[in-house]
Structures are given as structure tokens and as C-alpha cells.
Amino acid sequence: CMFAGMIFRKEPFFHGHDNYDQLVKIAKVLGTDELFDYLDKYNLELDPHFDGLLGRHARKSWQKFINAENQHLVSPESIDLLDRLLRYDHQERPSPVEAMAHPYFAPIRESAKH
């Protein structure tokens, strides 16, 4: 979420008032179907406190967060990396080494060669 905050210039990107509100904010962006898939996959249950809070939300396109103030920071590579990083399921996220090998970081790797 730090990367999302950097490229979209929205700090913090998920601004919850407490742990419950934080998950609601995340679910409003990443989607509730994806959250429930994650919970089912690992046989997890949400705290009953979420029953009236969570609702149902479709996954939002990252394009919805692009505006005039941040468009110079956003590229297809940054959106692709962000999409790979912000997943409920930790098994679907790239490792740090895999993330550093992403095309988003190619300019840094190239400049380090010189």
C-alpha cells in the first residue's frame, strides 16, 4: 500500500480509523469477492464485528485513482507491479526478489550498470 500511496500521491492509501475500518477500506478497493475467496481458501473466518460493516464491493480499477496530480507518476509498469503487490493472498504476491526483477525497476537496473 506504500507503493500505491507513492504513485497515486495519496498517503496513506488505505486510511482506516481502526483495524476493522482498515479492512473495509481495503475491501472497497480490492473487492469483497476476492476477500471471501481468500478466507475460503485458508479456512478463515472474519470477526463477527464485520457483519454490518463490510458490505459487497467490486474490485476497483487502478485507473480510477489516476488524476492530474499523479498521472506523471503512473505508468503501465507501475500499475502492473501494484496489481501484483496488492493481493489478499500472500501466496499470489511476488517475493521481494521477484518484485525487484519487475520491468518497473528496469531503469534502475540499467543505471546501476553504468
Side-chain angles (χ1 to χ4, degrees):
C1 59
M2 293 301 297
F3 187 61
M6 289 168 40
I7 64 172
F8 295 130
R9 300 190 74 171
K10 183 179 185 302
E11 288 287 335
F13 188 71
F14 298 116
H15 185 65
H17 303 293
D18 55 33
N19 287 340
Y20 298 109
D21 190 44
Q22 187 79 19
L23 184 57
V24 171
K25 301 280 191 218
I26 293 168
K28 285 182 176 181
V29 174
L30 299 185
T32 50
D33 287 347
E34 292 82 353
L35 173 60
F36 292 123
D37 289 347
Y38 169 73
L39 295 171
D40 290 344
K41 179 178 178 180
Y42 294 101
N43 199 26
L44 301 171
E45 291 186 26
L46 279 178
D47 185 311
H49 184 80
F50 286 105
D51 290 348
L53 295 176
L54 204 53
R56 300 291 288 195
H57 304 281
R59 183 177 177 88
K60 283 193 177 152
S61 166
W62 297 117
Q63 304 301 320
K64 291 184 183 242
F65 298 98
I66 301 172
N67 59 41
E69 288 80 40
N70 64 29
Q71 64 186 2
H72 68 285
L73 300 170
V74 180
S75 66
E77 293 82 9
S78 65
I79 294 294
D80 183 69
L81 179 59
L82 178 65
D83 193 56
R84 294 170 189 265
L85 292 172
L86 283 183
R87 303 281 176 100
Y88 289 113
D89 192 338
H90 57 284
Q91 296 292 335
E92 294 178 6
R93 295 181 212 140
S95 70
V97 171
E98 291 167 337
M100 292 303 296
H102 190 276
Y104 175 78
F105 293 109
I108 296 169
R109 288 191 299 274
E110 287 300 314
S111 69
K113 290 180 184 177
H114 303 289

